[in-house]
Amino acid sequence: MSIERLTLTDFRTYADAVLAPGPEFVILTGENGAGKTNVLEAVSLLAPGRGLRRAALSEMARDTGPGGFAVAARLGDGDLGTGTTPQAPERRLVRINGAAAAATQLSEWLSILWLTPAMDRLFLEGAGGRRRFVDRLVLALNPGHAVHTARYEAAMRARNKLLGAEGRPDAAWLTALEAQMAEHGAAIAEARRDTVQALCERLAEAPPSIFARPTLALDGGNIDGAAAFAADLAASRARDTGAGRALVGPHRSDLVVTHVAKNQPADRCSTGEQKALLLSIVLAHSELVADRLGRRPVLLLDEVAAHLDPTRRQALFDRLGAAGGQVWMTGTEDALFDGVPPSSTRFRIADGHII
């Protein structure tokens, strides 16, 4: 599945822009600040979640526009659209084939993965970013994962609020919220375990590569079934009240990545090695999605080529080209992409215009 037409209206720096990308490499070049990443961000909004920048919706509307924005895409057999209105700049609207839909339904049409320069610190910063990274991997394989994560977080927020309220909280209400957390939390934990295990097996079976080979594991947040998790939540009410948050559950898990050849945790590897580890994970996951779902995810690789030496850059192009699927890449210079196939689609971005 690939995007055949992308339309931006009052999105970031674009008053009105239309792109007709091909099904393989889509190359966006331009100076820093020209708006290349804005295009990738627009594509990332065609999946559930807050997009590759995790920005507030109101920040995405063009500064000099009327307020609100729209992103629309034509696929082979469908139309996807999302955006906001000036009246409700933080309320996301989604339409699929002209009908209103939930954002979680977008994952039934497209699987989208991305790497951005901001993710270079994924292994150095807090566990929250790594959990979101894992959930993005899970979502590409299991569209229902978005529903479970949204409902789990809503129930957890409501429970935290109830525990923090003055007076004795309603025990029946707490039990109902904990039952919701247990149901959806168990599904989240199982989906994460399955995805990480499948990725580990694929990485272990992969042929030798010039990219670093990682192993993956989940640490913490373990759940031994919904019933046991519900019991753990009930038993930890007093402790959670004191902490002001739930101290058990899948929201406490972390992704642990190790560089196999060096037997070294990713957070102790060099910046270049960490990027190589991330690339290996994303490439292996793309192949896993293709095998399981019969469609490749759309890949968004922001400024990746600039941080690879020529040999690794060409190896990346060769691997992506052999695998197939739509790959959007950005860079400041056309020469960075001399090694991509001539069938690629190229756009030059300058002053808010796409050529």
Side-chain angles (χ1 to χ4, degrees), residues 161-324:
K161 183 177 180 181
L162 187 60
L163 287 174
E166 293 184 5
R168 187 182 182 88
D170 186 286
W173 190 2
L174 273 175
T175 299
L177 290 172
E178 288 165 355
Q180 292 180 43
M181 288 179 65
E183 175 190 352
H184 298 295
I188 291 168
E190 181 179 4
R192 287 175 179 170
R193 283 195 300 267
D194 288 349
T195 298
V196 168
Q197 179 61 35
L199 267 176
C200 283
E201 292 172 359
R202 182 163 288 273
L203 287 163
E205 296 167 356
S209 168
I210 62 173
F211 293 109
R213 176 178 292 181
T215 59
L216 290 73
L218 291 172
D219 180 42
N222 297 322
I223 293 177
D224 191 16
F229 183 30
D232 288 343
L233 287 169
S236 66
R237 288 175 184 174
R239 187 174 57 154
D240 291 352
T241 299
R245 64 188 187 280
L247 296 176
V248 294
H251 62 285
R252 305 283 290 179
S253 70
D254 194 2
L255 176 68
V256 178
V257 176
T258 303
H259 189 307
V260 171
K262 302 181 72 171
N263 191 28
Q264 190 174 59
D267 61 351
R268 293 173 56 191
C269 294
S270 69
T271 301
E273 288 171 332
Q274 290 179 24
K275 184 175 284 290
L277 291 169
L278 275 172
L279 266 174
S280 292
I281 294 170
V282 169
L283 293 173
H285 184 263
S286 177
E287 294 162 1
L288 181 62
V289 172
D291 287 350
R292 287 196 177 182
L293 302 185
R295 72 183 188 204
R296 288 196 171 273
V298 173
L299 297 182
L300 310 177
L301 305 180
D302 192 17
E303 300 289 350
V304 168
H307 298 281
L308 297 174
D309 60 58
T311 300
R312 285 177 170 77
R313 190 185 308 150
Q314 189 58 55
L316 175 63
F317 297 157
D318 291 344
R319 183 167 175 179
L320 291 170

